[in-house]
Amino acid sequence: MTDPRHTALDATHRALGATMTDFAGWDMPLRYGSERDEHVAVRTRAGLFDLSHMGEITVTGPQAADLLDHALVGNIGSVKPGRARYTMICQEDGGILDDLIVYRLGDREYMVVANASNAQTVLDALIARQAGFDAAVRDDRDAYALLAVQGPASAGILKSLTDADLDGLKYYAGLPGTVAGVSALIARTGYTGEDGFELFVRPADAVALWEALTEAGKDAGLVPCGLSCRDTLRLEAGMPLYGNELSTSLTPFDAGLGRVVKFEKPGNDGRFVGRDALAAAAERAEQNPPRKLVGLIAEGRRVPRAGYPVVDAEGTAIGTVTSGAPSPTLGKPIAMAYVDAAHAEPGTKGVAVDIRGKHEPYEVVALPFYKREK
């Protein structure tokens, strides 16, 4: 066992009285007070997150796009400079190693952002897949701190600290700029279902930026937020979490995310790691639909947890809960679950979750549970 790593904001979190937790080898803030209050702040005002545990990997060179098209399932070569794309990296058998966001920083430069728990796995896979390409893979995890401002007031808060063109910054796009005197990559991305921004900065600048954002957001109701409310926010927004909804035992087609797989790519004759297995998975899904990821809303008050069985009216297992929690927005427990296709239609009757031996009735709904007004 090794001691957990600390972000550049560790002392700040402790001074704010955060409850800390070991997450993917990092000591991270779980909550600062009430996780429900933090959740509601992001839905109605704004929340400030430290996400410096995420894994940044830079890919550069004349064939950087070709390497990423070979290594990942998406068509990365078609991403324009300044834009970002959600994608995945898979094993040769099609199993998901991680879901990623790839930012195109320049003509020959990309930043791959991996989940903290899989950052080393993704780095190792990219290095292993680098052979034969005129491109370099660089571990930049120590080069960045990552702060996120999320919520309907986030744009107003950030505008008071930067002259960057936030109005012109589209969703899943990024631009270099200065925020409160700090050089940053300003990205309009997030994991909450709200409008918001993620700010990639030097670790040495993290505290100054956190303090500037806190001051600028005071009148707007900005609060510091931990990983606990980040999980309930992404659950309401129907966003998958690696280790829950995604794993090496599932292909993107099994997870209902086959849309991220692009079989037609320029270069490499369209070949990429896992292509044959994924083509077979796509065909299987077409002929015999796999279990489908659905939303479940409780009729009662008991909260489902990952791994709990989903059953039909006869008590026969038809699926498994992947994530569950009380929903502050809906006021009821909710869950995501993989269920048999025959029971996946919204409104399907007789579906329940086996919670410690008792079958609690749940309504099947389409994801997401929550969608913000544009």
CSV table of all heavy atoms in Angstrom, one decimal, residues 182-220:
chain,number,residue,atom,x,y,z
A,182,VAL,N,-4.2,33.9,-14.4
A,182,VAL,CA,-3.6,32.6,-14.5
A,182,VAL,C,-3.9,32.0,-15.9
A,182,VAL,O,-5.0,32.0,-16.4
A,182,VAL,CB,-4.3,31.6,-13.5
A,182,VAL,CG1,-3.9,30.2,-13.7
A,182,VAL,CG2,-3.9,32.1,-12.1
A,183,SER,N,-2.8,31.5,-16.5
A,183,SER,CA,-2.9,30.9,-17.9
A,183,SER,C,-3.7,29.6,-17.7
A,183,SER,O,-3.4,28.8,-16.8
A,183,SER,CB,-1.5,30.7,-18.5
A,183,SER,OG,-0.9,31.9,-18.7
A,184,ALA,N,-4.7,29.4,-18.6
A,184,ALA,CA,-5.5,28.2,-18.5
A,184,ALA,C,-6.0,27.7,-19.8
A,184,ALA,O,-6.1,28.5,-20.8
A,184,ALA,CB,-6.7,28.5,-17.6
A,185,LEU,N,-6.3,26.4,-19.9
A,185,LEU,CA,-7.1,25.9,-21.0
A,185,LEU,C,-8.5,25.9,-20.5
A,185,LEU,O,-8.8,25.3,-19.5
A,185,LEU,CB,-6.7,24.5,-21.4
A,185,LEU,CG,-7.6,23.8,-22.4
A,185,LEU,CD1,-7.7,24.5,-23.7
A,185,LEU,CD2,-7.3,22.3,-22.6
A,186,ILE,N,-9.4,26.7,-21.1
A,186,ILE,CA,-10.7,26.9,-20.7
A,186,ILE,C,-11.6,26.0,-21.5
A,186,ILE,O,-11.7,26.2,-22.7
A,186,ILE,CB,-11.2,28.3,-20.8
A,186,ILE,CG1,-10.3,29.3,-20.1
A,186,ILE,CG2,-12.6,28.5,-20.3
A,186,ILE,CD1,-10.5,30.8,-20.4
A,187,ALA,N,-12.2,24.9,-20.9
A,187,ALA,CA,-13.0,24.0,-21.7
A,187,ALA,C,-14.4,24.0,-21.2
A,187,ALA,O,-14.7,24.1,-20.0
A,187,ALA,CB,-12.4,22.6,-21.5
A,188,ARG,N,-15.4,24.0,-22.2
A,188,ARG,CA,-16.8,24.0,-21.8
A,188,ARG,C,-17.2,22.5,-21.8
A,188,ARG,O,-17.9,22.0,-22.7
A,188,ARG,CB,-17.6,24.8,-22.8
A,188,ARG,CG,-19.0,25.2,-22.2
A,188,ARG,CD,-19.6,26.3,-23.0
A,188,ARG,NE,-20.5,27.1,-22.1
A,188,ARG,CZ,-20.9,28.4,-22.4
A,188,ARG,NH1,-20.4,29.0,-23.4
A,188,ARG,NH2,-21.7,29.0,-21.5
A,189,THR,N,-16.8,21.8,-20.7
A,189,THR,CA,-17.1,20.4,-20.5
A,189,THR,C,-17.5,20.2,-19.1
A,189,THR,O,-17.3,21.1,-18.2
A,189,THR,CB,-15.9,19.5,-20.9
A,189,THR,OG1,-14.7,20.1,-20.3
A,189,THR,CG2,-15.7,19.5,-22.4
A,190,GLY,N,-18.0,19.1,-18.7
A,190,GLY,CA,-18.3,18.8,-17.3
A,190,GLY,C,-19.0,17.5,-17.2
A,190,GLY,O,-19.3,16.8,-18.2
A,191,TYR,N,-19.3,17.1,-16.0
A,191,TYR,CA,-19.8,15.8,-15.6
A,191,TYR,C,-21.0,15.9,-14.7
A,191,TYR,O,-21.2,15.1,-13.8
A,191,TYR,CB,-18.7,15.0,-15.0
A,191,TYR,CG,-18.9,13.5,-14.9
A,191,TYR,CD1,-19.3,12.7,-15.9
A,191,TYR,CD2,-18.6,12.9,-13.6
A,191,TYR,CE1,-19.4,11.3,-15.8
A,191,TYR,CE2,-18.7,11.5,-13.5
A,191,TYR,CZ,-19.1,10.8,-14.6
A,191,TYR,OH,-19.2,9.4,-14.5
A,192,THR,N,-21.8,17.0,-14.9
A,192,THR,CA,-22.9,17.3,-13.9
A,192,THR,C,-24.3,17.4,-14.6
A,192,THR,O,-25.3,17.5,-13.9
A,192,THR,CB,-22.6,18.6,-13.2
A,192,THR,OG1,-22.6,19.7,-14.1
A,192,THR,CG2,-21.3,18.6,-12.4
A,193,GLY,N,-24.3,17.5,-15.9
A,193,GLY,CA,-25.6,17.8,-16.6
A,193,GLY,C,-25.9,19.3,-16.7
A,193,GLY,O,-26.9,19.6,-17.3
A,194,GLU,N,-25.0,20.1,-16.1
A,194,GLU,CA,-25.2,21.6,-16.2
A,194,GLU,C,-24.2,22.2,-17.1
A,194,GLU,O,-23.2,21.6,-17.5
A,194,GLU,CB,-25.1,22.2,-14.8
A,194,GLU,CG,-26.1,21.8,-13.8
A,194,GLU,CD,-27.5,22.1,-14.1
A,194,GLU,OE1,-27.7,23.1,-14.9
A,194,GLU,OE2,-28.5,21.5,-13.7
A,195,ASP,N,-24.5,23.5,-17.5
A,195,ASP,CA,-23.5,24.2,-18.2
A,195,ASP,C,-22.3,24.4,-17.2
A,195,ASP,O,-22.5,24.5,-16.0
A,195,ASP,CB,-24.1,25.6,-18.6
A,195,ASP,CG,-23.1,26.4,-19.5
A,195,ASP,OD1,-22.2,25.8,-20.1
A,195,ASP,OD2,-23.3,27.6,-19.6
A,196,GLY,N,-21.1,24.5,-17.8
A,196,GLY,CA,-20.0,24.7,-16.9
A,196,GLY,C,-18.7,24.6,-17.6
A,196,GLY,O,-18.6,24.4,-18.9
A,197,PHE,N,-17.6,24.8,-16.9
A,197,PHE,CA,-16.3,24.9,-17.5
A,197,PHE,C,-15.3,24.2,-16.6
A,197,PHE,O,-15.4,24.1,-15.4
A,197,PHE,CB,-15.8,26.4,-17.5
A,197,PHE,CG,-16.8,27.3,-18.3
A,197,PHE,CD1,-17.9,27.8,-17.7
A,197,PHE,CD2,-16.6,27.5,-19.6
A,197,PHE,CE1,-18.8,28.6,-18.4
A,197,PHE,CE2,-17.5,28.3,-20.4
A,197,PHE,CZ,-18.6,28.9,-19.7
A,198,GLU,N,-14.3,23.6,-17.3
A,198,GLU,CA,-13.2,22.9,-16.7
A,198,GLU,C,-11.9,23.7,-17.1
A,198,GLU,O,-11.7,24.0,-18.2
A,198,GLU,CB,-13.1,21.5,-17.1
A,198,GLU,CG,-14.3,20.7,-16.6
A,198,GLU,CD,-14.3,19.2,-17.0
A,198,GLU,OE1,-13.8,18.8,-18.1
A,198,GLU,OE2,-14.7,18.4,-16.1
A,199,LEU,N,-11.1,24.0,-16.0
A,199,LEU,CA,-10.0,24.9,-16.2
A,199,LEU,C,-8.7,24.1,-15.9
A,199,LEU,O,-8.4,23.7,-14.8
A,199,LEU,CB,-10.1,26.1,-15.3
A,199,LEU,CG,-11.4,26.9,-15.4
A,199,LEU,CD1,-11.5,27.9,-14.2
A,199,LEU,CD2,-11.6,27.5,-16.7
A,200,PHE,N,-7.9,23.9,-16.9
A,200,PHE,CA,-6.6,23.2,-16.8
A,200,PHE,C,-5.5,24.2,-16.6
A,200,PHE,O,-5.3,25.1,-17.5
A,200,PHE,CB,-6.3,22.3,-18.1
A,200,PHE,CG,-7.3,21.2,-18.3
A,200,PHE,CD1,-8.5,21.5,-19.0
A,200,PHE,CD2,-7.0,19.9,-17.9
A,200,PHE,CE1,-9.4,20.5,-19.3
A,200,PHE,CE2,-7.9,18.9,-18.2
A,200,PHE,CZ,-9.1,19.2,-18.8
A,201,VAL,N,-4.8,24.1,-15.4
A,201,VAL,CA,-3.8,25.1,-15.1
A,201,VAL,C,-2.6,24.5,-14.5
A,201,VAL,O,-2.6,23.3,-14.2
A,201,VAL,CB,-4.4,26.2,-14.1
A,201,VAL,CG1,-5.6,26.9,-14.7
A,201,VAL,CG2,-4.7,25.5,-12.8
A,202,ARG,N,-1.5,25.2,-14.3
A,202,ARG,CA,-0.4,24.7,-13.6
A,202,ARG,C,-0.7,24.5,-12.2
A,202,ARG,O,-1.4,25.3,-11.6
A,202,ARG,CB,0.8,25.7,-13.7
A,202,ARG,CG,1.4,25.9,-15.1
A,202,ARG,CD,2.6,26.7,-15.1
A,202,ARG,NE,2.4,27.9,-14.2
A,202,ARG,CZ,3.3,28.4,-13.3
A,202,ARG,NH1,4.4,27.7,-13.1
A,202,ARG,NH2,3.0,29.5,-12.6
A,203,PRO,N,-0.2,23.4,-11.6
A,203,PRO,CA,-0.5,23.1,-10.1
A,203,PRO,C,-0.1,24.3,-9.3
A,203,PRO,O,-0.8,24.6,-8.3
A,203,PRO,CB,0.3,21.9,-9.8
A,203,PRO,CG,0.4,21.2,-11.1
A,203,PRO,CD,0.5,22.2,-12.2
A,204,ALA,N,0.9,25.0,-9.6
A,204,ALA,CA,1.4,26.2,-8.8
A,204,ALA,C,0.3,27.3,-8.8
A,204,ALA,O,0.4,28.2,-7.9
A,204,ALA,CB,2.7,26.7,-9.3
A,205,ASP,N,-0.6,27.3,-9.8
A,205,ASP,CA,-1.6,28.4,-9.9
A,205,ASP,C,-2.9,28.0,-9.3
A,205,ASP,O,-3.9,28.8,-9.3
A,205,ASP,CB,-1.8,28.8,-11.4
A,205,ASP,CG,-0.5,29.4,-12.0
A,205,ASP,OD1,0.2,30.1,-11.2
A,205,ASP,OD2,-0.3,29.3,-13.2
A,206,ALA,N,-3.0,26.8,-8.9
A,206,ALA,CA,-4.4,26.2,-8.5
A,206,ALA,C,-5.0,27.0,-7.3
A,206,ALA,O,-6.2,27.3,-7.3
A,206,ALA,CB,-4.3,24.7,-8.2
A,207,VAL,N,-4.2,27.3,-6.3
A,207,VAL,CA,-4.7,27.9,-5.1
A,207,VAL,C,-5.2,29.3,-5.4
A,207,VAL,O,-6.3,29.7,-5.0
A,207,VAL,CB,-3.7,27.9,-3.9
A,207,VAL,CG1,-4.2,28.8,-2.8
A,207,VAL,CG2,-3.4,26.5,-3.5
A,208,ALA,N,-4.4,30.1,-6.1
A,208,ALA,CA,-4.8,31.4,-6.5
A,208,ALA,C,-6.1,31.5,-7.3
A,208,ALA,O,-6.9,32.3,-7.1
A,208,ALA,CB,-3.6,32.1,-7.3
A,209,LEU,N,-6.2,30.5,-8.2
A,209,LEU,CA,-7.4,30.5,-9.1
A,209,LEU,C,-8.6,30.0,-8.3
A,209,LEU,O,-9.7,30.6,-8.4
A,209,LEU,CB,-7.2,29.5,-10.2
A,209,LEU,CG,-8.3,29.4,-11.2
A,209,LEU,CD1,-8.7,30.7,-11.8
A,209,LEU,CD2,-8.0,28.4,-12.3
A,210,TRP,N,-8.4,29.1,-7.4
A,210,TRP,CA,-9.6,28.6,-6.5
A,210,TRP,C,-10.1,29.8,-5.7
A,210,TRP,O,-11.3,30.1,-5.6
A,210,TRP,CB,-9.1,27.5,-5.6
A,210,TRP,CG,-10.1,27.0,-4.6
A,210,TRP,CD1,-10.5,27.6,-3.4
A,210,TRP,CD2,-10.9,25.8,-4.7
A,210,TRP,NE1,-11.5,26.8,-2.8
A,210,TRP,CE2,-11.7,25.8,-3.6
A,210,TRP,CE3,-11.0,24.8,-5.7
A,210,TRP,CZ2,-12.6,24.7,-3.3
A,210,TRP,CZ3,-11.9,23.8,-5.5
A,210,TRP,CH2,-12.7,23.7,-4.3
A,211,GLU,N,-9.1,30.6,-5.1
A,211,GLU,CA,-9.5,31.7,-4.3
A,211,GLU,C,-10.2,32.8,-5.1
A,211,GLU,O,-11.2,33.4,-4.6
A,211,GLU,CB,-8.3,32.3,-3.6
A,211,GLU,CG,-7.7,31.3,-2.5
A,211,GLU,CD,-6.4,31.8,-1.9
A,211,GLU,OE1,-5.8,32.8,-2.4
A,211,GLU,OE2,-6.0,31.2,-0.9
A,212,ALA,N,-9.7,33.0,-6.3
A,212,ALA,CA,-10.3,34.1,-7.2
A,212,ALA,C,-11.7,33.7,-7.6
A,212,ALA,O,-12.6,34.5,-7.6
A,212,ALA,CB,-9.4,34.3,-8.4
A,213,LEU,N,-11.9,32.4,-7.9
A,213,LEU,CA,-13.2,31.9,-8.3
A,213,LEU,C,-14.2,32.0,-7.1
A,213,LEU,O,-15.4,32.3,-7.2
A,213,LEU,CB,-13.1,30.5,-8.8
A,213,LEU,CG,-12.5,30.3,-10.2
A,213,LEU,CD1,-12.1,28.9,-10.4
A,213,LEU,CD2,-13.4,30.8,-11.3
A,214,THR,N,-13.7,31.6,-5.9
A,214,THR,CA,-14.5,31.7,-4.7
A,214,THR,C,-15.0,33.1,-4.5
A,214,THR,O,-16.2,33.3,-4.2
A,214,THR,CB,-13.7,31.1,-3.5
A,214,THR,OG1,-13.4,29.8,-3.8
A,214,THR,CG2,-14.5,31.2,-2.2
A,215,GLU,N,-14.1,34.0,-4.6
A,215,GLU,CA,-14.5,35.4,-4.3
A,215,GLU,C,-15.4,35.9,-5.4
A,215,GLU,O,-16.4,36.6,-5.1
A,215,GLU,CB,-13.2,36.3,-4.3
A,215,GLU,CG,-13.4,37.8,-4.1
A,215,GLU,CD,-14.0,38.0,-2.7
A,215,GLU,OE1,-13.8,37.2,-1.7
A,215,GLU,OE2,-14.8,39.1,-2.5
A,216,ALA,N,-15.1,35.6,-6.7
A,216,ALA,CA,-16.0,36.1,-7.8
A,216,ALA,C,-17.4,35.5,-7.7
A,216,ALA,O,-18.4,36.1,-8.2
A,216,ALA,CB,-15.3,35.7,-9.1
A,217,GLY,N,-17.5,34.3,-7.1
A,217,GLY,CA,-18.8,33.6,-7.1
A,217,GLY,C,-19.6,33.8,-5.8
A,217,GLY,O,-20.6,33.2,-5.7
A,218,LYS,N,-19.0,34.6,-4.9
A,218,LYS,CA,-19.7,34.8,-3.6
A,218,LYS,C,-21.1,35.2,-3.7
A,218,LYS,O,-22.0,34.7,-3.1
A,218,LYS,CB,-18.8,35.7,-2.8
A,218,LYS,CG,-19.2,35.8,-1.3
A,218,LYS,CD,-18.4,36.8,-0.5
A,218,LYS,CE,-16.9,36.5,-0.6
A,218,LYS,NZ,-16.1,37.5,0.2
A,219,ASP,N,-21.3,36.3,-4.5
A,219,ASP,CA,-22.7,36.8,-4.6
A,219,ASP,C,-23.6,35.9,-5.4
A,219,ASP,O,-24.8,36.1,-5.4
A,219,ASP,CB,-22.6,38.2,-5.2
A,219,ASP,CG,-22.0,39.2,-4.3
A,219,ASP,OD1,-21.9,39.0,-3.1
A,219,ASP,OD2,-21.5,40.3,-4.8
A,220,ALA,N,-23.0,35.1,-6.3
A,220,ALA,CA,-23.8,34.2,-7.1
A,220,ALA,C,-24.2,32.9,-6.4
A,220,ALA,O,-24.9,32.0,-6.9
A,220,ALA,CB,-23.1,33.9,-8.4
